[in-house]
């Protein structure tokens, strides 16, 4: 709110805007920054003038939704930021977990990987390490006693809307087979 105020940009219903941004990004600082940058670009491209000819610099919830719904934003600013430096195995696991909205155990993830005929076959400790990185480094997943699930609620939705999972899985599978580490 403060940076927008400093830029003399009025937020229509600031609490709702902040909540929508937080809910979508899960507070990832880079994604928040990119979203806000896109909001300002949108504002600059759609300036409205009042009756006196002065520019009205205002952002509404509809503007936030427009940026969030933009496929380019979803793929470049959201997915690529969350997957930055993620290994092919980490990305494969993310894509496989999107198939069903549920909590997964390590054994289930190993079975899904085996069903994809990954060679060399991922070992439980390698998959566990990848899952731990998705939790601690990428902040995409959360881990609790019942298993692993998405910490970023928008992540599965964005994946489903922006990529063809089967095509991406094929490409990532080949990358993983070439370099399984």
């Amino acid at each position: 709110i403060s940076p927008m105020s400093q830029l003399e940009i009025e937020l229509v219903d600031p609490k709702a805007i902040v909540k929508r941004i937080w809910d979508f990004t899960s507070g990832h600082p880079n994604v928040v920054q990119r979203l806000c940058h896109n909001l300002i670009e949108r504002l600059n491209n759609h300036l409205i003038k009042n009756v006196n000819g002065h520019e009205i610099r205002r952002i509404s919830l509809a503007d936030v939704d427009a940026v969030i719904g933009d496929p380019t934003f979803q793929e470049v600013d959201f997915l690529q930021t969350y997957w930055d430096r993620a290994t092919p195995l980490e990305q494969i696991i993310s894509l496989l977990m999107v198939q069903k909205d549920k909590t997964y155990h390590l054994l289930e993830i190993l079975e899904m990987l085996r069903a994809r005929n990954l060679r060399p076959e991922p070992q439980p400790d390698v998959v566990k390490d990848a899952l731990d990185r998705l939790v601690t480094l990428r902040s995409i997943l959360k881990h609790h006693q019942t298993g692993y699930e998405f910490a970023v609620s928008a992540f599965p939705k964005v994946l489903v809307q922006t990529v063809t999972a089967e095509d991406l899985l094929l490409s990532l599978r080949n990358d993983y087979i070439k370099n399984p580490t």
Side-chain angles (χ1 to χ4, degrees):
I1 293 173
S2 293
M4 293 296 185
S5 178
Q6 291 171 350
L7 294 170
E8 297 180 359
I9 297 172
E10 175 191 350
L11 298 179
V12 179
D13 196 357
K15 286 183 182 180
I17 289 172
V18 169
K19 182 178 181 343
R20 181 75 46 96
I21 290 171
W22 183 266
D23 289 347
F24 183 77
T25 65
S26 293
H28 190 295
N30 290 349
V31 180
V32 170
Q33 183 178 25
R34 289 169 180 243
L35 195 153
C36 290
H37 175 78
N38 279 280
L39 282 171
I40 292 169
E41 281 186 352
R42 178 179 167 79
L43 175 69
N44 290 337
N45 292 331
H46 298 96
L47 283 176
I48 302 170
K49 298 194 182 229
N50 65 15
V51 292
N52 299 328
H54 293 95
E55 294 175 347
I56 300 172
R57 296 178 53 82
R58 181 179 298 144
I59 293 175
S60 69
L61 205 49
D63 295 311
V64 175
D65 289 339
V67 170
I68 287 172
D70 177 33
T72 302
F73 171 79
Q74 290 181 0
E75 185 173 345
V76 175
D77 297 310
F78 186 87
L79 282 180
Q80 287 182 14
T81 300
Y82 269 107
W83 269 351
D84 184 40
R85 298 186 182 163
T87 66
L89 181 59
E90 292 167 19
Q91 292 179 22
I92 289 168
I93 290 169
S94 307
L95 284 164
L96 292 175
M97 287 181 65
V98 164
Q99 295 174 9
K100 291 183 184 172
D101 183 20
K102 62 175 257 165
T103 301
Y104 288 90
H105 299 279
L106 175 61
L107 183 59
E108 292 173 290
I109 293 168
L110 285 166
E111 289 170 3
M112 288 189 301
L113 291 166
R114 283 188 194 107
R116 292 290 174 174
N117 201 24
L118 287 170
R119 298 282 182 248
E121 187 173 303
Q123 299 300 313
D125 58 331
V126 172
V127 174
K128 174 76 169 86
D129 289 346
L131 285 164
D132 289 343
R133 286 190 304 273
L134 286 166
V135 172
T136 58
L137 291 177
R138 317 276 177 248
S139 302
I140 295 171
L141 301 180
K142 59 185 170 183
H143 182 229
H144 41 77
Q145 285 182 313
T146 57
Y148 295 90
E149 63 185 18
F150 285 98
V152 180
S153 60
F155 196 86
K157 295 171 192 166
V158 170
L159 270 178
V160 168
Q161 292 173 359
T162 59
V163 299
T164 305
E166 289 303 317
D167 294 346
L168 188 53
L169 277 168
L170 182 62
S171 171
L172 290 169
R173 181 182 174 277
N174 290 336
D175 290 346
Y176 175 74
I177 289 171
K178 288 177 192 170
N179 184 10
T181 56

